[in-house]
Every structure is written in C-alpha cells, then in structure tokens.
Amino acid sequence: SQGGSGVLDGLDNLLVDAASQVLFIAEDDGTQVLVVIRPDNSVEAVVQVPDQPDSEITGPCFSPDGQRVYFSSQRAPVGPSALAVGVTYEVTGPWDQYLGR
C-alpha cells in the first residue's frame, strides 16, 4: 500500500485499461474494494461493495465502449434467503473523464 494507507492489502484480479494505462485491482481483504493505480503511482479505491465480508471481488472488465466496468462478488448474499451465490455488478460513470482517456 502507498503511504501506509492499507488500500492494497489483498491483491487478486486485475485489469489494465490500455487507453489510460490505469491498473484496476480487485481487493480481497474483506473490504471488497476495486482499486486503481495510475501511471503516476497514485492509488485510489473507486468502488466498494458493503456487507459482503465472506466474499471476494473478481473479474473486473470494461464494456467494449469503455463506459461501464463490470465485476462480480463471488459469494454475495442474494435473494430473500441471502444465499451466498454471488452477483455481477455494472458501474457506469464518466470513465473517459476519470481515467483521462
């Protein structure tokens, strides 16, 4: 982790955004965070999935147009019985602006 922030404690899956050279890392340390590392080595958590301490984020990827990022939470509680079957998330946003594409 940078500066002792503890952001990079459970590195797992990663994605490189070729247009911006930003690295996306799925953190599996119980915090369920998707973190970016920019070419200037700055580190920032961009997405956090709350209330899923027994799961882990996997498979971050962008849509073909680069405007949506997808990732899954492997053992996310789903449905009225909260079965730990997992879920896939879609996050939209101004990714071009955010990543400096």
Side-chain angles (χ1 to χ4, degrees):
S1 67
Q2 182 181 16
S5 66
V7 175
L8 299 175
D9 290 334
L11 306 173
D12 195 357
N13 299 167
L14 61 93
L15 159 71
V16 176
D17 180 60
S20 65
Q21 297 301 300
V22 171
L23 180 65
F24 284 73
I25 299 174
E27 281 278 293
D28 292 345
D29 63 354
T31 60
Q32 304 304 308
V33 178
L34 190 60
V35 176
V36 295
I37 301 177
R38 294 186 182 85
D40 67 2
N41 291 324
S42 61
V43 178
E44 180 180 6
V46 293
V47 176
Q48 183 170 17
V49 180
D51 302 324
Q52 296 179 17
D54 296 324
S55 188
E56 61 182 87
I57 291 177
T58 63
C61 63
F62 274 100
S63 61
D65 66 2
Q67 300 308 303
R68 296 173 306 278
V69 68
Y70 297 92
F71 61 90
S72 296
S73 181
Q74 286 185 335
R75 291 172 294 281
V78 177
S81 60
L83 293 175
V85 296
V87 66
T88 297
Y89 294 95
E90 174 186 67
V91 180
T92 60
W95 291 109
D96 286 340
Q97 178 183 352
Y98 181 75
L99 298 174
R101 295 183 189 148

